[in-house]
Amino acid sequence: MSALIQLTAVQKYYGDYHALRDINLTINEGEFFSLLGPSGCGKTTLLRTIAGFEGVSEGAVMIAGKDMSDVPPNLRPTNMVFQSYAIFPHLSVAENVAFGLRKSGMGKPEKAAAVKDALNMVGLDGYGDRAAHALSGGQRQRVALARALILKPKVLLLDEPLSALDKKMREHMQVELIRLQRAVGITFILVTHDQEEALVMSDRIAVMFEGEIGQLADPESLYRRPNSRRVAEFIGKMNFINGTASATDEGAKLLVPGLGKCTIPAEQFPQGVTTGDVAIGIRPETLAVLFEGDKAPRFEAEAVVDEVVYYGDMTYYDVRVAEVEKPLTIAMKNLIGRPVLDVGAKTRIAWDERSLVVF
Amino acid sequence: MATRFSSEQKRTMGLLTAPFTYAILLLAVPLLAIVLFSFWTQDFMEVNTTFTLDNYREIAEKPIYFSLLQRSLFVSFCVTLVTVVLAYPVAYFVSFKVQPSRKSLWLFLITIPFWTSYLIRVFLWKVILGYNGVINSGLINLGIIEEPLTFILYNVNAVIITLAHAFAPFAILPIFVALEKIDRSLLEASQDLGESKLMTFLRVTLPLSMPGLVAAVLIVFIPTIGDYVTPELMGGAGGKLIANMIQVQFLQLNNAPLGAALAIVAMLSVTAISLFFVFLNRRWLRGRS
């Protein structure tokens, strides 16, 4: 895989507002890349600087080895799927899809064939003559995809493309987008505030906060080894316990109040081994409620159920452990024969030092 | 057979009675009277109420009426063209270039011509365009011309200039509204799909603003056909229009039936042309959500 998009020291100011802070980023050919972050973190601005709708205040954007600073959006090898889809209301579906082909030099039959192929690819064959306003949200999005992909761009930019769809449709389109990306082999850059969407779809994810990239990693590393507390809090759920650490040769000895003592290697300190007061992160699914007869594989502790949230496939327990300030959230699969505990029930919980992340 | 109405229907009827009566008395009845009059004739001092097509025959036979109507349509066409062509950039500027917080101020400024009466505005144009008017004396003093320009007052040009100014806000506002409604991401999408700014305007902005443009055309075109104040004051001998003739028939020649028939003919011409624009509008509206 070779680098397709390179951003070097990109800064963007709106007056006094610093929208993008020193962005350095390389996105490879054929990659499904996501920009993830809370609203206002600059992810859309970053996407728009790649598309060319926003200039950069400092730094450089290179696409396929060419500096894009003086290249307007219409001359860049990028195409975009807008959040609102931006389907032209005065044109039919086929006319929308063919919009960008005006300068392609194709004849009428060639264009018609290309439009047919593109609509086929997104599963809209036979919709060409429909009026744009007669489409549902999911169909509009497919038209927007076909309209962009028909031009065979080097990069497809997707600005929160799924946020306007309902949950079922969103999950369906996630899978379709992945399938489509594999089929066409084009680099996809997805902007989203939905961490689950980013985890499901991406090869790599850049998590952004306040105009800077907090962490850039593949989904698994991002989830298992968030490099800062704010990334850990943004991606998935995470319990935090205040504890103390003391350094050893290979890592640290950890005292987790209420849970016990353990030794962990240095790699579980993403910001380097610190001693003294530390924040210990534990994912809810790496903890377990022990039912009668269960034995903890590593460590266990006494707890009282504080809150039960039943999701059907899962049950989320909030349990109180002595000496831990906040209740710990535990996610349990509702396996066959497994009871759902009541609030106030006394129980034991199991934990594993290998799943801890310490900041 | 007794018709029964639900209480809601009764309430609706109650609410509609007053405006409906008003519309009948002040719109339908006068219009009907005009239609009736056009089929009657004037016998010196009184109106002969036998049904006849004489008025229409006279209009068809005497070339003066046809040429007046032709001139009216031509003037209205020119006024509409000038107004809309000048209004579009203004509407575009306010919609696309003015900060959102300043837009209402700009719209307010655009209505300034309405602050003075229509007549006063016409007279002001007389002062500007006159033989010793602002333009002529200015140009003479600057040494650009030696003789005052005469083609700017008391002819069709003067009528066109005055009417175009008077109707400018009417044309700007519907175009502005149509432009405001355009989703800005459509313009970005067009650029993203490879079109320059000019082509984006031609392929996206212009077609999407068409309903506003057609509305502006209708709003300017229809009333200018019926205007007789401006041609009377600004048009001189060669600038009189069909509306002036109708006025003369009704008030000076005391031939209301012929005036009514002329009014009907003018109305039908306007209707025909307006319908054409309405169908045009429909074509653009089709396919819009």
Side-chain angles (χ1 to χ4, degrees), chain A residues 48 51 53 73-74 78-80 82 84 86-90 99-100 102-103 131-133 147-148 151, chain B residues 183 185-197 199-200 203-204 207-208 284 286-289:
Chain A
R48 290 170 61 83
F53 294 120
N74 52 330
T78 59
N79 282 116
M80 187 142 158
F82 291 81
S84 60
I87 305 294
F88 300 116
H90 57 301
F99 190 91
R102 188 178 64 87
K103 285 188 282 190
H133 66 86
R147 187 176 69 179
L151 302 177
Chain B
D183 180 356
S185 67
L186 294 175
L187 310 182
E188 288 190 339
S190 169
Q191 283 182 52
D192 188 65
L193 293 167
E195 293 296 12
S196 61
K197 288 198 166 158
M199 282 309 294
T200 295
R203 292 188 72 188
V204 182
L208 287 177
W284 289 108
R286 198 192 45 149
R288 296 202 64 189
S289 45

Side-chain angles (χ1 to χ4, degrees), chain A residues 39-218:
Chain A
S39 47
C41 71
K43 55 191 190 297
T44 296
T45 307
L46 185 54
L47 193 78
R48 290 170 61 83
T49 58
I50 296 172
F53 294 120
E54 306 280 352
V56 295
S57 306
E58 280 167 45
V61 177
M62 309 264 284
I63 301 178
K66 276 186 214 124
D67 186 8
M68 289 285 135
S69 45
D70 296 323
V71 183
N74 52 330
L75 301 177
R76 293 197 183 193
T78 59
N79 282 116
M80 187 142 158
V81 173
F82 291 81
Q83 189 170 8
S84 60
Y85 309 143
I87 305 294
F88 300 116
H90 57 301
L91 302 177
S92 71
V93 168
E95 286 167 333
N96 260 287
V97 175
F99 190 91
L101 293 178
R102 188 178 64 87
K103 285 188 282 190
S104 66
M106 285 187 196
K108 252 193 173 167
E110 272 177 280
K111 271 189 198 171
V115 168
K116 199 163 176 287
D117 285 348
L119 284 174
N120 237 335
M121 183 168 62
V122 295
L124 280 183
D125 26 335
Y127 281 73
D129 293 333
R130 292 257 185 123
H133 66 86
L135 299 175
S136 69
Q139 288 167 339
R140 278 160 180 265
Q141 167 159 62
R142 287 160 199 261
V143 174
L145 275 169
R147 187 176 69 179
L149 288 173
I150 199 171
L151 302 177
K152 304 192 168 61
K154 290 201 166 76
V155 190
L156 184 72
L157 308 171
L158 302 127
D159 186 4
E160 307 234 8
L162 307 177
S163 59
L165 304 178
D166 62 57
K167 189 164 185 278
K168 268 243 163 70
M169 195 63 192
R170 193 158 59 227
E171 281 165 4
H172 180 70
M173 283 308 293
Q174 283 176 3
V175 178
E176 280 219 354
L177 276 177
I178 298 169
R179 184 187 59 81
L180 201 60
Q181 197 261 341
R182 286 197 189 129
V184 295
I186 292 172
T187 304
F188 278 32
I189 304 179
L190 173 79
V191 159
T192 180
H193 62 268
D194 183 340
Q195 40 104 7
E196 194 182 294
E197 191 172 296
L199 292 175
V200 168
M201 297 169 78
S202 323
D203 295 319
R204 284 193 306 154
I205 301 170
V207 188
M208 292 184 69
F209 296 101
E210 289 163 1
E212 52 192 9
I213 293 176
Q215 187 169 7
L216 173 61
D218 62 279

Side-chain angles (χ1 to χ4, degrees), chain B residues 44-59:
Chain B
F44 188 51
M45 285 304 279
E46 61 209 34
V47 173
N48 178 353
T49 56
T50 20
F51 178 87
T52 169
L53 290 172
D54 281 356
N55 294 320
Y56 291 101
R57 211 165 288 135
E58 189 184 342
I59 293 170

